[in-house]
mmCIF file of all heavy atoms in Angstrom:
data_model
loop_
_atom_site.group_PDB
_atom_site.id
_atom_site.type_symbol
_atom_site.label_atom_id
_atom_site.label_comp_id
_atom_site.label_asym_id
_atom_site.label_seq_id
_atom_site.Cartn_x
_atom_site.Cartn_y
_atom_site.Cartn_z
ATOM 1 N N ALA A 212 2.511 -0.306 1.799
ATOM 2 C CA ALA A 212 1.075 0.085 1.664
ATOM 3 C C ALA A 212 0.075 -0.409 2.726
ATOM 4 O O ALA A 212 -0.749 0.354 3.108
ATOM 5 C CB ALA A 212 0.572 -0.251 0.297
ATOM 6 N N PRO A 213 0.128 -1.704 3.123
ATOM 7 C CA PRO A 213 -0.944 -2.114 4.021
ATOM 8 C C PRO A 213 -0.909 -1.306 5.399
ATOM 9 O O PRO A 213 0.150 -1.130 5.897
ATOM 10 C CB PRO A 213 -0.642 -3.558 4.354
ATOM 11 C CG PRO A 213 0.216 -4.007 3.256
ATOM 12 C CD PRO A 213 0.999 -2.809 2.820
ATOM 13 N N THR A 214 -2.013 -0.884 5.798
ATOM 14 C CA THR A 214 -2.021 -0.134 7.083
ATOM 15 C C THR A 214 -2.264 -1.111 8.215
ATOM 16 O O THR A 214 -3.403 -1.563 8.377
ATOM 17 C CB THR A 214 -3.167 0.932 7.067
ATOM 18 O OG1 THR A 214 -4.420 0.261 6.625
ATOM 19 C CG2 THR A 214 -2.836 2.059 6.081
ATOM 20 N N ALA A 215 -1.214 -1.535 8.805
ATOM 21 C CA ALA A 215 -1.275 -2.554 9.875
ATOM 22 C C ALA A 215 -1.052 -1.903 11.244
ATOM 23 O O ALA A 215 -0.442 -0.861 11.365
ATOM 24 C CB ALA A 215 -0.235 -3.575 9.650
ATOM 25 N N GLU A 216 -1.632 -2.521 12.295
ATOM 26 C CA GLU A 216 -1.525 -2.018 13.625
ATOM 27 C C GLU A 216 -0.136 -1.964 14.123
ATOM 28 O O GLU A 216 0.270 -1.050 14.868
ATOM 29 C CB GLU A 216 -2.372 -2.938 14.534
ATOM 30 C CG GLU A 216 -2.434 -2.414 15.963
ATOM 31 C CD GLU A 216 -3.202 -3.333 16.910
ATOM 32 O OE1 GLU A 216 -3.733 -4.363 16.416
ATOM 33 O OE2 GLU A 216 -3.397 -3.002 18.060
ATOM 34 N N HIS A 217 0.694 -2.872 13.644
ATOM 35 C CA HIS A 217 2.064 -3.023 14.142
ATOM 36 C C HIS A 217 3.039 -2.778 12.953
ATOM 37 O O HIS A 217 4.037 -3.593 12.815
ATOM 38 C CB HIS A 217 2.289 -4.345 14.857
ATOM 39 C CG HIS A 217 1.391 -4.615 15.952
ATOM 40 N ND1 HIS A 217 1.252 -3.740 16.957
ATOM 41 C CD2 HIS A 217 0.437 -5.601 16.094
ATOM 42 C CE1 HIS A 217 0.305 -4.219 17.843
ATOM 43 N NE2 HIS A 217 -0.194 -5.279 17.305
ATOM 44 N N GLY A 218 2.825 -1.747 12.157
ATOM 45 C CA GLY A 218 3.801 -1.407 11.069
ATOM 46 C C GLY A 218 3.806 -2.484 9.995
ATOM 47 O O GLY A 218 2.750 -2.940 9.573
ATOM 48 N N LYS A 219 4.974 -2.880 9.637
ATOM 49 C CA LYS A 219 5.064 -3.893 8.507
ATOM 50 C C LYS A 219 4.658 -5.249 8.937
ATOM 51 O O LYS A 219 4.442 -6.164 8.053
ATOM 52 C CB LYS A 219 6.538 -3.961 8.054
ATOM 53 C CG LYS A 219 7.538 -4.472 9.060
ATOM 54 C CD LYS A 219 8.967 -4.504 8.485
ATOM 55 C CE LYS A 219 9.246 -5.658 7.567
ATOM 56 N NZ LYS A 219 10.636 -5.753 7.157
ATOM 57 N N TRP A 220 4.540 -5.579 10.195
ATOM 58 C CA TRP A 220 4.328 -6.899 10.759
ATOM 59 C C TRP A 220 2.910 -7.352 10.621
ATOM 60 O O TRP A 220 2.150 -7.230 11.562
ATOM 61 C CB TRP A 220 4.940 -7.099 12.107
ATOM 62 C CG TRP A 220 6.326 -6.714 12.158
ATOM 63 C CD1 TRP A 220 6.907 -5.602 12.653
ATOM 64 C CD2 TRP A 220 7.393 -7.456 11.575
ATOM 65 N NE1 TRP A 220 8.290 -5.627 12.376
ATOM 66 C CE2 TRP A 220 8.624 -6.811 11.779
ATOM 67 C CE3 TRP A 220 7.484 -8.764 10.938
ATOM 68 C CZ2 TRP A 220 9.885 -7.200 11.280
ATOM 69 C CZ3 TRP A 220 8.707 -9.213 10.467
ATOM 70 C CH2 TRP A 220 9.887 -8.424 10.688
ATOM 71 N N THR A 221 2.524 -7.837 9.457
ATOM 72 C CA THR A 221 1.158 -8.216 9.114
ATOM 73 C C THR A 221 1.217 -9.261 7.941
ATOM 74 O O THR A 221 2.206 -9.324 7.261
ATOM 75 C CB THR A 221 0.268 -7.016 8.707
ATOM 76 O OG1 THR A 221 -0.983 -7.528 8.415
ATOM 77 C CG2 THR A 221 0.884 -6.364 7.451
ATOM 78 N N ASP A 222 0.191 -10.043 7.946
ATOM 79 C CA ASP A 222 -0.010 -10.989 6.804
ATOM 80 C C ASP A 222 -1.131 -10.542 5.873
ATOM 81 O O ASP A 222 -1.588 -11.357 5.098
ATOM 82 C CB ASP A 222 -0.212 -12.407 7.295
ATOM 83 C CG ASP A 222 -1.382 -12.564 8.188
ATOM 84 O OD1 ASP A 222 -2.173 -11.556 8.353
ATOM 85 O OD2 ASP A 222 -1.642 -13.648 8.784
ATOM 86 N N LYS A 223 -1.554 -9.311 6.095
ATOM 87 C CA LYS A 223 -2.613 -8.750 5.165
ATOM 88 C C LYS A 223 -2.163 -8.605 3.766
ATOM 89 O O LYS A 223 -1.047 -8.261 3.474
ATOM 90 C CB LYS A 223 -3.135 -7.443 5.758
ATOM 91 C CG LYS A 223 -3.859 -7.515 7.046
ATOM 92 C CD LYS A 223 -4.267 -6.164 7.472
ATOM 93 C CE LYS A 223 -4.980 -6.136 8.841
ATOM 94 N NZ LYS A 223 -5.387 -4.776 9.313
ATOM 95 N N ARG A 224 -3.228 -8.775 2.836
ATOM 96 C CA ARG A 224 -2.901 -8.584 1.417
ATOM 97 C C ARG A 224 -3.133 -7.109 1.113
ATOM 98 O O ARG A 224 -3.747 -6.374 1.873
ATOM 99 C CB ARG A 224 -3.834 -9.447 0.556
ATOM 100 C CG ARG A 224 -3.617 -10.935 0.704
ATOM 101 C CD ARG A 224 -2.424 -11.399 0.053
ATOM 102 N NE ARG A 224 -2.551 -11.408 -1.456
ATOM 103 C CZ ARG A 224 -1.660 -11.911 -2.273
ATOM 104 N NH1 ARG A 224 -0.534 -12.470 -1.833
ATOM 105 N NH2 ARG A 224 -1.856 -11.852 -3.623
ATOM 106 N N TYR A 225 -2.573 -6.695 -0.037
ATOM 107 C CA TYR A 225 -2.718 -5.316 -0.445
ATOM 108 C C TYR A 225 -4.119 -5.023 -1.015
ATOM 109 O O TYR A 225 -4.729 -5.854 -1.685
ATOM 110 C CB TYR A 225 -1.721 -5.017 -1.534
ATOM 111 C CG TYR A 225 -0.363 -4.615 -1.003
ATOM 112 C CD1 TYR A 225 0.423 -5.640 -0.305
ATOM 113 C CD2 TYR A 225 0.163 -3.410 -1.122
ATOM 114 C CE1 TYR A 225 1.616 -5.322 0.237
ATOM 115 C CE2 TYR A 225 1.443 -3.093 -0.635
ATOM 116 C CZ TYR A 225 2.104 -4.054 0.026
ATOM 117 O OH TYR A 225 3.335 -3.755 0.575
ATOM 118 N N GLU A 226 -4.621 -3.788 -0.812
ATOM 119 C CA GLU A 226 -5.813 -3.353 -1.485
ATOM 120 C C GLU A 226 -5.394 -2.665 -2.780
ATOM 121 O O GLU A 226 -4.524 -1.811 -2.766
ATOM 122 C CB GLU A 226 -6.595 -2.354 -0.536
ATOM 123 C CG GLU A 226 -7.132 -2.966 0.673
ATOM 124 C CD GLU A 226 -7.927 -1.989 1.505
ATOM 125 O OE1 GLU A 226 -7.950 -0.810 1.121
ATOM 126 O OE2 GLU A 226 -8.453 -2.373 2.584
ATOM 127 N N MET A 227 -6.061 -3.094 -3.881
ATOM 128 C CA MET A 227 -5.675 -2.519 -5.179
ATOM 129 C C MET A 227 -5.824 -0.990 -5.219
ATOM 130 O O MET A 227 -4.895 -0.321 -5.789
ATOM 131 C CB MET A 227 -6.534 -3.178 -6.256
ATOM 132 C CG MET A 227 -6.336 -2.548 -7.635
ATOM 133 S SD MET A 227 -4.706 -2.406 -8.221
ATOM 134 C CE MET A 227 -4.214 -4.120 -8.398
ATOM 135 N N LYS A 228 -6.832 -0.478 -4.641
ATOM 136 C CA LYS A 228 -7.028 1.000 -4.746
ATOM 137 C C LYS A 228 -5.836 1.754 -4.033
ATOM 138 O O LYS A 228 -5.423 2.841 -4.653
ATOM 139 C CB LYS A 228 -8.328 1.425 -4.165
ATOM 140 C CG LYS A 228 -9.626 0.999 -4.981
ATOM 141 C CD LYS A 228 -10.871 1.571 -4.446
ATOM 142 C CE LYS A 228 -12.080 1.228 -5.337
ATOM 143 N NZ LYS A 228 -13.347 1.799 -4.800
ATOM 144 N N ARG A 229 -5.471 1.266 -3.004
ATOM 145 C CA ARG A 229 -4.304 1.957 -2.300
ATOM 146 C C ARG A 229 -3.033 1.740 -3.087
ATOM 147 O O ARG A 229 -2.239 2.690 -3.336
ATOM 148 C CB ARG A 229 -4.168 1.390 -0.912
ATOM 149 C CG ARG A 229 -3.072 2.095 -0.054
ATOM 150 C CD ARG A 229 -3.062 1.650 1.355
ATOM 151 N NE ARG A 229 -1.934 2.132 2.027
ATOM 152 C CZ ARG A 229 -1.908 3.349 2.627
ATOM 153 N NH1 ARG A 229 -2.879 4.204 2.400
ATOM 154 N NH2 ARG A 229 -0.826 3.754 3.282
ATOM 155 N N LEU A 230 -2.781 0.565 -3.585
ATOM 156 C CA LEU A 230 -1.598 0.292 -4.361
ATOM 157 C C LEU A 230 -1.577 1.129 -5.623
ATOM 158 O O LEU A 230 -0.525 1.808 -5.996
ATOM 159 C CB LEU A 230 -1.458 -1.261 -4.711
ATOM 160 C CG LEU A 230 -0.239 -1.662 -5.511
ATOM 161 C CD1 LEU A 230 1.024 -1.475 -4.729
ATOM 162 C CD2 LEU A 230 -0.340 -3.116 -5.831
ATOM 163 N N ARG A 231 -2.730 1.196 -6.287
ATOM 164 C CA ARG A 231 -2.785 1.964 -7.554
ATOM 165 C C ARG A 231 -2.537 3.413 -7.280
ATOM 166 O O ARG A 231 -1.808 4.112 -7.982
ATOM 167 C CB ARG A 231 -4.240 1.810 -8.186
ATOM 168 C CG ARG A 231 -4.397 2.676 -9.413
ATOM 169 C CD ARG A 231 -5.884 2.719 -9.822
ATOM 170 N NE ARG A 231 -6.317 1.474 -10.232
ATOM 171 C CZ ARG A 231 -7.213 0.719 -9.550
ATOM 172 N NH1 ARG A 231 -7.696 1.198 -8.365
ATOM 173 N NH2 ARG A 231 -7.584 -0.414 -10.042
ATOM 174 N N SER A 232 -3.141 3.927 -6.214
ATOM 175 C CA SER A 232 -2.976 5.351 -5.913
ATOM 176 C C SER A 232 -1.456 5.730 -5.669
ATOM 177 O O SER A 232 -0.980 6.777 -6.243
ATOM 178 C CB SER A 232 -3.717 5.640 -4.635
ATOM 179 O OG SER A 232 -3.478 7.048 -4.189
ATOM 180 N N ILE A 233 -0.744 4.868 -5.048
ATOM 181 C CA ILE A 233 0.643 5.107 -4.797
ATOM 182 C C ILE A 233 1.506 4.999 -6.089
ATOM 183 O O ILE A 233 2.293 5.884 -6.381
ATOM 184 C CB ILE A 233 1.201 4.155 -3.816
ATOM 185 C CG1 ILE A 233 0.554 4.434 -2.354
ATOM 186 C CG2 ILE A 233 2.738 4.214 -3.626
ATOM 187 C CD1 ILE A 233 0.782 3.393 -1.295
ATOM 188 N N LEU A 234 1.318 3.906 -6.796
ATOM 189 C CA LEU A 234 2.091 3.775 -8.132
ATOM 190 C C LEU A 234 1.777 4.896 -9.112
ATOM 191 O O LEU A 234 2.746 5.542 -9.668
ATOM 192 C CB LEU A 234 1.771 2.444 -8.689
ATOM 193 C CG LEU A 234 2.183 1.190 -7.900
ATOM 194 C CD1 LEU A 234 1.732 -0.120 -8.634
ATOM 195 C CD2 LEU A 234 3.741 1.177 -7.808
ATOM 196 N N ASN A 235 0.528 5.284 -9.227
ATOM 197 C CA ASN A 235 0.139 6.345 -10.155
ATOM 198 C C ASN A 235 0.704 7.653 -9.698
ATOM 199 O O ASN A 235 1.162 8.478 -10.525
ATOM 200 C CB ASN A 235 -1.343 6.441 -10.261
ATOM 201 C CG ASN A 235 -1.984 5.266 -11.015
ATOM 202 O OD1 ASN A 235 -1.246 4.330 -11.446
ATOM 203 N ND2 ASN A 235 -3.302 5.324 -11.286
ATOM 204 N N LYS A 236 0.739 7.941 -8.398
ATOM 205 C CA LYS A 236 1.243 9.185 -7.896
ATOM 206 C C LYS A 236 2.726 9.376 -8.290
ATOM 207 O O LYS A 236 3.099 10.404 -8.738
ATOM 208 C CB LYS A 236 1.050 9.262 -6.357
ATOM 209 C CG LYS A 236 1.716 10.496 -5.702
ATOM 210 C CD LYS A 236 1.550 10.497 -4.205
ATOM 211 C CE LYS A 236 2.331 9.485 -3.552
ATOM 212 N NZ LYS A 236 2.286 9.615 -2.021
ATOM 213 N N TRP A 237 3.489 8.339 -8.072
ATOM 214 C CA TRP A 237 4.972 8.400 -8.372
ATOM 215 C C TRP A 237 5.196 8.531 -9.852
ATOM 216 O O TRP A 237 6.131 9.163 -10.290
ATOM 217 C CB TRP A 237 5.708 7.227 -7.744
ATOM 218 C CG TRP A 237 5.874 7.404 -6.309
ATOM 219 C CD1 TRP A 237 5.035 7.080 -5.272
ATOM 220 C CD2 TRP A 237 6.918 8.058 -5.674
ATOM 221 N NE1 TRP A 237 5.470 7.433 -4.032
ATOM 222 C CE2 TRP A 237 6.704 8.053 -4.288
ATOM 223 C CE3 TRP A 237 8.097 8.704 -6.122
ATOM 224 C CZ2 TRP A 237 7.537 8.668 -3.345
ATOM 225 C CZ3 TRP A 237 9.002 9.262 -5.148
ATOM 226 C CH2 TRP A 237 8.691 9.250 -3.837
ATOM 227 N N GLN A 238 4.345 7.852 -10.663
ATOM 228 C CA GLN A 238 4.540 8.008 -12.151
ATOM 229 C C GLN A 238 4.162 9.430 -12.603
ATOM 230 O O GLN A 238 4.926 9.942 -13.438
ATOM 231 C CB GLN A 238 3.597 6.928 -12.793
ATOM 232 C CG GLN A 238 4.095 5.561 -12.806
ATOM 233 C CD GLN A 238 5.354 5.293 -13.638
ATOM 234 O OE1 GLN A 238 5.297 5.488 -14.846
ATOM 235 N NE2 GLN A 238 6.480 4.866 -13.045
ATOM 236 N N THR A 239 3.085 9.951 -12.185
ATOM 237 C CA THR A 239 2.613 11.195 -12.700
ATOM 238 C C THR A 239 3.307 12.485 -12.065
ATOM 239 O O THR A 239 3.668 13.395 -12.842
ATOM 240 C CB THR A 239 1.063 11.360 -12.466
ATOM 241 O OG1 THR A 239 0.782 11.240 -11.058
ATOM 242 C CG2 THR A 239 0.259 10.248 -13.248
ATOM 243 N N GLU A 240 3.609 12.348 -10.801
ATOM 244 C CA GLU A 240 4.142 13.582 -10.147
ATOM 245 C C GLU A 240 5.676 13.742 -10.373
ATOM 246 O O GLU A 240 6.207 14.802 -10.158
ATOM 247 C CB GLU A 240 3.810 13.613 -8.679
ATOM 248 C CG GLU A 240 2.300 13.684 -8.478
ATOM 249 C CD GLU A 240 1.886 13.943 -6.978
ATOM 250 O OE1 GLU A 240 2.759 14.496 -6.261
ATOM 251 O OE2 GLU A 240 0.787 13.579 -6.612
#
């Protein structure tokens, strides 16, 4: 989920809105 400049290689934390959007999409669709 984190949108990092170098793909997965980041120490950034997740944003809840983005995480929620992804989890909800897979549950509902």
Side-chain angles (χ1 to χ4, degrees):
T214 51
E216 183 181 2
H217 304 301
K219 68 180 278 185
W220 301 105
T221 178
D222 57 5
K223 291 181 181 177
R224 297 285 289 187
Y225 278 64
E226 293 181 0
M227 171 53 67
K228 287 188 177 181
R229 182 172 173 81
L230 181 63
R231 176 191 297 109
S232 173
I233 292 167
L234 293 175
N235 287 3
K236 176 180 71 173
W237 283 88
Q238 285 287 302
T239 57
E240 295 190 24

